[in-house]
């Protein structure tokens, strides 16, 4: 009898424990499920309103897109949109002020609290983008949605603004329970090549996503954008005048065509490059090509070197003028297209610094040009979407010193740069390999 009572006691105790565990589980899961329900209802309503106004809305939330790839590969059917970060991030294309006003009105009628942030005080005035143009929406009914506005730029790419370009941004984000750190996009200005999208159903909601998700996520990590300083350029031309002679205008036009062609070929190969040396100085100082520079200069990290670079240029009408150095030391290529020269400098790491090499062909002397470490940003240069060092002024001052604003028409590449250093000599027996000069 005692044994039977003990069994009953164990069963009752086990049942009580199981009930407590199930109750705890329900308590833990119930708010989570409720959040998902509210989330999907709000996203569905937001997408439906956008569709009725003929606005194409893209899902760009990194967690959602990655989860979508995983679900697709594993053939699972769990809630995909529920993986979105807080706030959930979407993108649409800006189609004018009239559509923006109508969009706000319809969202408010559907119970959304809506705030529009504007490009009120940008670091530099964007070329072709109006001051006070909308740059994003913050929406909330039950959950927060961050809708980023892509603007089409003259260089045929999409640009988005920086949240901090609106002085109200911090306080408005705070009113939504957010901080600048919460935002996935718009901590800085950004630029994207136009990408294809495809219509998919996420949790029974029809949404657009980038067709190549992996590339989009990769591009997002390197999308930071800076604007050319047109105020500085105006000051430069007021101080030093502008060469508008036929020869100067002809050179600038031909140099632009050379840079555009180089961009096309390197973009095709997936090789990152940036404006360097005199071309970068012209961009930073006067938002233009320096007419007396006589060549175009670009930089490439040696880690991005590809054996396909030279054949690609030669196959498209370029001629090799010289090959200096080796891939692992001081590589520099000079190519010509007609009468113009394209210099490609390869950059190497050395502790806290980066450097590119130089070689004097008649003596075998080696030089290095030392720069503080820098990162790369997109910019628009004469309607071309190209990269420049984000820390542009430090890069320029390393090369040209503190007096970079003053034009210098006489320049000795071995002694004039502020950052040039002697770097030994190439052994005579290596000259045939490391100093190849062509007519």
């Amino acid at each position: 009898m005692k044994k039977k009572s003990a069994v009953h006691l164990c069963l009752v105790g086990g049942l009580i424990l199981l009930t407590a565990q199930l109750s705890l589980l329900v308590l833990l899961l119930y708010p989570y499920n409720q959040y998902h329900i509210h989330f999907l209802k709000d996203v569905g309503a937001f997408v439906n309103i956008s569709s009725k106004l003929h606005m194409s809305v893209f899902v760009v939330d990194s967690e959602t897109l990655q989860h979508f790839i995983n679900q697709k590969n594993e053939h699972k059917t769990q809630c995909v949109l529920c993986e979105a970060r807080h706030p959930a991030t979407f993108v649409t294309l800006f189609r004018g002020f009239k559509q923006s006003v109508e969009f706000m009105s319809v969202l408010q009628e559907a119970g959304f609290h809506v705030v529009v942030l504007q490009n009120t005080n940008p670091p530099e005035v964007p070329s072709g983008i109006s001051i006070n143009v909308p740059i994003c929406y913050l929406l909330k009914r039950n959950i927060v949605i961050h809708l980023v506005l892509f603007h089409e730029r003259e260089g045929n790419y999409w640009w988005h603004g920086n949240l901090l370009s609106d002085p109200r941004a911090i306080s408005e984000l705070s009113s939504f329970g957010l901080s600048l750190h919460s935002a996935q996009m718009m901590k800085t200005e950004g630029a994207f090549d136009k990408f294809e999208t495809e219509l998919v159903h996420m949790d029974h909601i029809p949404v657009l996503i980038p067709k190549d998700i992996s590339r989009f996520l990769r591009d997002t990590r390197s999308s930071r954008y800076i604007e050319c300083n047109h105020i500085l350029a105006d000051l430069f031309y007021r101080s030093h005048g502008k060469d508008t002679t036929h020869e100067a205008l002809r050179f600038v036009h031909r140099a632009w065509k050379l840079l555009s062609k180089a961009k096309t070929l390197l973009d095709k190969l997936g090789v990152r490059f940036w404006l360097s040396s005199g071309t970068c100085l012209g961009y930073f100082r006067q938002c233009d090509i320096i007419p007396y520079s006589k060549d175009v200069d670009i930089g490439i990290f040696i880690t991005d070197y590809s054996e396909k670079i030279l054949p690609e240029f030669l196959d498209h009408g370029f001629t090799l003028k010289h090959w200096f150095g080796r891939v692992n030391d001081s590589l520099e290529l000079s190519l010509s297209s007609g009468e113009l020269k394209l210099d490609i400098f390869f950059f190497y790491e050395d502790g806290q610094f980066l450097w590119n090499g130089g070689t004097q062909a008649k003596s075998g002397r080696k030089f290095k040009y030392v720069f503080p470490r820098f990162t790369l940003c997109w910019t628009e240069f004469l309607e071309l979407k190209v990269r420049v060092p984000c820390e542009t002024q430090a890069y320029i001052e390393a090369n040209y010193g503190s007096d970079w604003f003053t034009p210098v028409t006489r320049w000795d590449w071995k002694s004039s740069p502020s950052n040039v250093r002697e770097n030994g000599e190439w052994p005579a027996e290596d000259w045939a390999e490391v100093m190849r000069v062509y007519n």
Side-chain angles (χ1 to χ4, degrees):
M1 188 72 176
K2 289 182 179 180
K3 186 176 181 181
K4 191 173 182 181
S5 298
V7 171
H8 285 166
L9 186 62
C10 288
L11 288 172
V12 171
L15 184 62
I16 293 171
L17 181 60
L18 180 61
T19 302
Q21 289 174 330
L22 288 172
S23 300
L24 180 60
L25 186 61
V26 169
L27 288 172
L28 289 171
L29 289 179
Y30 181 74
Y32 180 76
N33 289 333
Q34 283 296 100
Y35 173 80
H36 282 190
I37 292 169
H38 290 315
F39 181 90
L40 294 176
K41 282 184 177 179
D42 285 2
V43 170
F46 156 69
V47 169
N48 187 46
I49 290 168
S50 303
S51 178
K52 286 181 179 178
L53 296 178
H54 306 289
M55 296 172 61
S56 299
V57 171
F58 316 149
V59 175
V60 295
D61 186 279
S62 59
E63 297 293 332
T64 301
L65 292 176
Q66 190 59 60
H67 196 65
F68 178 78
I69 294 175
N70 297 340
Q71 291 276 58
K72 196 173 181 180
N73 292 338
E74 297 172 11
H75 305 290
K76 293 182 179 179
T77 57
Q78 296 173 359
C79 181
V80 177
L81 283 167
C82 301
E83 297 297 321
R85 294 184 189 180
H86 177 68
T89 307
F90 296 80
V91 159
T92 191
L93 305 180
F94 178 68
R95 298 300 190 192
F97 289 93
K98 182 179 178 181
Q99 186 187 64
S100 180
V101 171
E102 185 179 11
F103 183 53
M104 276 191 64
S105 175
V106 177
L107 284 169
Q108 288 169 343
E109 288 175 5
F112 284 92
H113 171 51
V114 186
V115 167
V116 183
L117 297 183
Q118 299 174 319
N119 201 43
T120 304
N121 188 27
E124 304 293 344
V125 177
S127 176
I129 302 293
S130 303
I131 296 295
N132 296 327
V133 72
I135 54 175
C136 76
Y137 301 92
L138 295 171
L139 323 171
K140 184 176 182 181
R141 193 162 65 178
N142 296 292
I143 57 102
V144 181
I145 295 172
H146 181 202
L147 180 60
V148 180
L149 292 174
F150 274 7
H151 294 256
E152 186 169 356
R153 296 290 295 260
E154 292 178 344
N156 197 33
Y157 62 94
W158 288 324
W159 168 91
H160 69 70
N162 180 349
L163 285 167
L164 294 180
S165 293
D166 190 323
R168 302 173 297 128
I170 298 298
S171 61
E172 294 291 4
L173 286 167
S174 179
S175 72
F176 282 85
L178 304 173
S179 67
L180 186 64
H181 180 72
S182 307
Q184 288 187 58
M185 299 177 73
M186 299 185 68
K187 294 185 180 73
T188 65
E189 294 178 35
F192 290 83
D193 287 334
K194 293 180 178 179
F195 53 83
E196 294 183 6
T197 60
E198 63 177 336
L199 181 67
V200 299
H201 283 77
M202 289 186 179
D203 311 309
H204 308 292
I205 299 174
V207 292
L208 291 169
I209 62 171
K211 199 166 187 179
D212 188 339
I213 293 176
S214 298
R215 178 174 178 177
F216 174 79
L217 294 176
R218 185 172 64 250
D219 289 348
T220 300
R221 292 190 289 271
S222 58
S223 63
R224 185 181 171 191
Y225 179 95
I226 56 177
E227 199 73 48
C228 186
N229 190 334
H230 297 282
I231 296 174
L232 182 65
D234 289 342
L235 176 61
F236 175 82
Y237 286 126
R238 285 200 305 272
S239 302
H240 301 289
K242 186 170 185 176
D243 189 346
T244 57
T245 62
H246 172 73
E247 292 77 11
L249 295 176
R250 182 169 179 267
F251 170 77
V252 169
H253 175 66
R254 292 166 69 214
W256 178 89
K257 290 178 69 176
L258 178 66
L259 177 61
S260 177
K261 190 174 182 180
K263 168 182 165 58
T264 298
L265 298 180
L266 291 170
D267 285 354
K268 176 184 173 184
L269 295 175
V271 174
R272 294 180 301 166
F273 75 93
W274 65 91
L275 306 184
S276 190
S277 302
T279 307
C280 189
L281 175 62
Y283 156 79
F284 184 68
R285 188 175 66 187
Q286 56 216 71
C287 297
D288 207 344
I289 292 169
I290 299 173
Y292 55 80
S293 59
K294 305 306 179 188
D295 56 19
V296 172
D297 305 305
I298 63 174
I300 295 175
F301 291 122
I302 198 61
T303 51
D304 290 329
Y305 171 78
S306 168
E307 292 181 353
K308 296 179 181 179
I309 292 174
L310 184 55
E312 187 71 23
F313 276 83
L314 297 180
D315 287 345
H316 287 84
F318 283 83
T319 302
L320 181 61
K321 288 184 67 69
H322 71 238
W323 170 298
F324 289 156
R326 296 190 178 100
V327 173
N328 65 352
D329 184 6
S330 305
L331 183 62
E332 172 193 342
L333 301 182
S334 183
L335 302 114
S336 61
S337 178
E339 300 174 7
L340 267 65
K341 186 160 65 81
L342 172 70
D343 288 329
I344 305 178
F345 302 107
F346 290 88
F347 280 64
Y348 301 78
E349 294 186 24
D350 184 7
Q352 296 300 311
F353 299 95
L354 295 167
W355 64 276
N356 71 279
T359 296
Q360 186 179 38
K362 65 180 181 181
S363 67
R365 291 170 64 197
K366 297 170 64 180
F367 302 85
K368 66 162 55 176
Y369 304 85
V370 181
F371 296 82
R373 280 187 173 273
F374 56 87
T375 52
L376 296 180
C377 282
W378 290 110
T379 192
E380 184 174 305
F381 182 51
L382 304 176
E383 298 185 12
L384 293 176
K385 176 175 172 273
V386 292
R387 296 179 182 88
V388 291
C390 300
E391 303 78 10
T392 322
Q393 184 164 339
Y395 187 87
I396 294 298
E397 288 183 350
N399 218 177
Y400 297 98
S402 58
D403 199 28
W404 52 267
F405 193 73
T406 303
V408 176
T409 55
R410 291 186 178 183
W411 187 260
D412 185 330
W413 62 271
K414 302 182 300 301
S415 59
S416 297
S418 303
N419 59 343
V420 65
R421 308 283 186 271
E422 292 274 358
N423 193 31
E425 295 182 1
W426 292 108
E429 60 270 21
D430 294 343
W431 283 17
E433 177 194 351
V434 299
M435 293 188 296
R436 290 177 259 172
V437 181
Y438 305 89
N439 292 327

